[in-house]
Amino acid sequence: TQKRIREVMETGRHEFEWVHQRLDGEEFWTQVTCSILPHAERNIMIMSWRDLTEQKAAEAARDDLFAETSDLIQSIDANGRILYANRSWLETLGYTKTDLPGLNIFQIIHPDCREQCMVTFKQLMQGETPGLTNATFITKDGRTIEVEGNLNSKMVNGVMASTRGIFRNITQRKQAETALRKTVVKLSQSNTELERFAYVASHDLQEPLRAISGCVQLLERDYREKLDARASELIGHTVEGVDRMHRLINDLLSYSRLVKTQAALKPVDLHALLAGAQRNLEAAIAESAAVIDCDDLPTVHGDPTQLTQLFQNLLGNAIKFRGTQPPVIHVFAERQPGFWQIGVRDNGIGIDQQYFKRIFDLFQRLHTRDVYPGTGLGLSICQKIVRAHGGEIWVESTVGQGATFFF
């Protein structure tokens, strides 16, 4: 009591809550307001009490309601003073109920976000309801926590009396997001380095291959009459191996050059791209007597060069893996919610279900090279192109009854 009186004498006015006792011994809470009234002879202290019994009962009910929630709940007045904080708020920030009197919300808001919080507070004072609010709180021991939540204000006669905030501690989520961003950056850098390495390595491998091919061709031209059948056969194997290596390196170069970028995407007519792919395969189409038709194809956002290569690889596979009949290839499109689904159907030899996923892996071949030539990179390139456009590619097939590639 003496401490409170000294505070009144020093400041001229003081408010505090106090426990009183009735004549029958029952205790009850009151709000005490003390002020000093100057007088000619001596100062007069005026004290008033307000019974807080009903208010304290309401607060106790509220505390019971909010006690078990993990959300951080607070109530502050128009000056930013914290009127109420639930148990989760207190435990998370390291305070106790006795710390709340005199504690201002801006004391616990990190300086980096204090300006934005002031803007939000002004909105509340005008009766507005801001959207989802993010902030950084400072705990009693100096740590920082990230929170997000919603705020609303209680207006009395057009003036904000108090505001309530319900927040959630998202510190771990923010830390995970930061770690993920760092991982993505490192992964992107690693992919860039790998792509650069693949490009440089593939480019540098071309030189010794050209030298080998040139030497073998000179050997065959200058010494053809002196070579026996076995030597000519070995030269043929060497030339064939060099050609295969050239194709493999070129496919590796194509694969390494595929970059996932949204900047290159623009509206492209799939009809025009399919026609371009067919022109690139004119010789193979004529040699196999392939028939290619299509339904109406849409205009989509994509990289025209990559999507042309996608069609070319799928058409080329359909021609390569044909059965005893000439290839019949049908390209179609189906509108799905939010995207287009494209299909390339053929009447070829088909694919066993156990290989549906494996065929998209790098260098995976289901047949020997002497039966079906190739590098095993064609469908890997297709998958990388489709995924660079935010899609997926898969196959449906029955052995001996053709295959349909969807993307």
Side-chain angles (χ1 to χ4, degrees):
T1 302
Q2 291 175 348
K3 178 183 177 182
R4 297 294 187 185
I5 292 174
R6 283 197 301 271
E7 290 174 349
V8 176
M9 298 297 292
E10 292 171 359
T11 62
R13 180 180 174 83
H14 191 56
E15 291 184 359
F16 55 92
E17 293 181 358
W18 203 252
V19 178
H20 290 266
Q21 193 175 58
R22 306 183 194 276
L23 286 175
D24 59 7
E26 179 187 4
E27 293 184 345
F28 67 101
W29 280 93
T30 64
Q31 182 181 44
V32 183
T33 302
C34 300
S35 57
I36 300 297
L37 181 64
H39 191 268
E41 297 182 1
R42 65 176 63 85
N43 292 339
I44 300 174
M45 179 183 293
I46 300 176
M47 307 178 68
S48 64
W49 287 264
R50 184 167 65 89
D51 193 339
L52 297 180
T53 302
E54 293 184 1
Q55 178 180 318
K56 289 296 182 180
E59 290 177 356
R62 177 196 61 194
D63 289 348
D64 290 340
L65 180 64
F66 296 149
E68 300 305 320
T69 181
S70 60
D71 291 338
L72 282 59
I73 301 175
Q74 66 183 35
S75 178
I76 61 178
D77 66 13
N79 295 314
R81 292 178 297 190
I82 299 176
L83 305 174
Y84 167 77
N86 72 337
R87 187 174 66 184
S88 292
W89 192 101
L90 294 169
E91 291 178 352
T92 302
L93 293 172
Y95 289 97
T96 64
K97 284 187 176 182
T98 58
D99 295 319
L100 294 184
L103 184 63
N104 194 288
I105 188 64
F106 291 100
Q107 293 175 242
I108 67 167
I109 294 177
H110 195 277
D112 290 347
C113 63
R114 199 168 288 166
E115 183 176 349
Q116 180 58 45
C117 289
M118 282 294 296
V119 173
T120 302
F121 194 69
K122 289 178 180 177
Q123 289 178 305
L124 291 166
M125 293 186 70
Q126 295 169 3
E128 300 176 13
T129 301
L132 192 65
T133 300
N134 289 79
T136 304
F137 285 172
I138 305 173
T139 64
K140 189 175 182 179
D141 60 5
R143 293 178 295 107
T144 59
I145 63 167
E146 302 289 334
V147 299
E148 70 174 11
N150 293 285
L151 295 159
N152 58 74
S153 55
K154 178 182 178 182
M155 307 297 289
V156 177
N157 297 325
V159 179
M160 187 184 82
S162 63
T163 178
R164 172 169 292 171
I166 302 177
F167 294 95
R168 182 155 295 173
N169 186 353
I170 59 169
T171 304
Q172 291 184 346
R173 192 185 82 189
K174 286 289 187 180
Q175 290 172 345
E177 290 173 355
T178 301
L180 180 60
R181 282 194 296 270
K182 291 180 180 179
T183 301
V184 169
V185 170
K186 289 181 180 179
L187 184 59
S188 177
Q189 292 172 344
S190 177
N191 285 341
T192 301
E193 291 170 359
L194 285 173
E195 288 168 0
R196 188 181 299 114
F197 170 79
Y199 176 80
V200 172
S202 299
H203 184 270
D204 289 348
L205 285 172
Q206 297 278 13
E207 285 301 322
L209 279 179
R210 278 193 283 266
I212 294 171
S213 179
C215 289
V216 172
Q217 289 173 6
L218 286 173
L219 182 64
E220 183 182 25
R221 186 191 68 186
D222 296 343
Y223 297 94
R224 181 180 302 170
E225 296 178 355
K226 298 180 182 180
L227 298 174
D228 59 16
R230 177 60 176 165
S232 297
E233 180 185 356
L234 292 174
I235 288 176
H237 288 323
T238 303
V239 172
E240 182 184 346
V242 170
D243 288 341
R244 285 203 310 270
M245 194 65 179
H246 270 303
R247 291 195 298 270
L248 177 60
I249 290 172
N250 287 332
D251 282 350
L252 276 173
L253 282 171
S254 298
Y255 188 82
S256 67
R257 286 169 178 159
L258 293 176
V259 179
K260 182 177 181 180
T261 173
Q262 297 298 320
L265 302 187
K266 60 182 180 181
V268 290
D269 180 1
L270 292 186
H271 265 297
L273 300 188
L274 179 62
Q278 288 179 254
R279 286 193 296 271
N280 295 339
L281 295 169
E282 279 183 355
I285 293 173
E287 184 270 332
S288 63
V291 176
I292 302 174
D293 70 337
C294 67
D295 295 342
D296 290 335
L297 298 180
T299 294
V300 301
H301 273 77
D303 182 304
T305 302
Q306 292 186 10
L307 293 182
T308 300
Q309 185 174 9
L310 172 63
F311 276 128
Q312 184 174 323
N313 286 7
L314 293 177
L315 294 178
N317 271 9
I319 294 171
K320 181 195 299 186
F321 298 103
R322 59 184 181 271
T324 57
Q325 300 297 319
V328 177
I329 306 168
H330 180 60
V331 182
F332 57 95
E334 297 175 352
R335 183 61 177 170
Q336 303 291 344
F339 63 93
W340 281 98
Q341 180 173 294
I342 313 298
V344 179
R345 181 183 300 122
D346 64 54
N347 63 338
I349 62 175
I351 304 169
D352 193 305
Q353 184 176 358
Q354 64 177 313
Y355 302 121
F356 282 3
K357 292 184 178 180
R358 177 183 164 188
I359 58 175
F360 294 102
D361 294 337
L362 286 168
F363 306 115
Q364 292 301 316
R365 301 173 52 85
L366 304 185
H367 308 276
T368 58
R369 191 174 291 108
D370 56 335
V371 178
Y372 294 104
T375 60
L377 277 168
L379 288 177
S380 297
I381 291 174
C382 289
Q383 184 180 63
K384 191 170 184 181
I385 291 172
V386 172
R387 287 184 173 175
H389 287 73
E392 286 296 333
I393 184 170
W394 69 97
V395 65
E396 295 178 4
S397 177
T398 301
V399 175
Q401 298 182 25
T404 303
F405 284 85
F406 293 95
F407 60 90

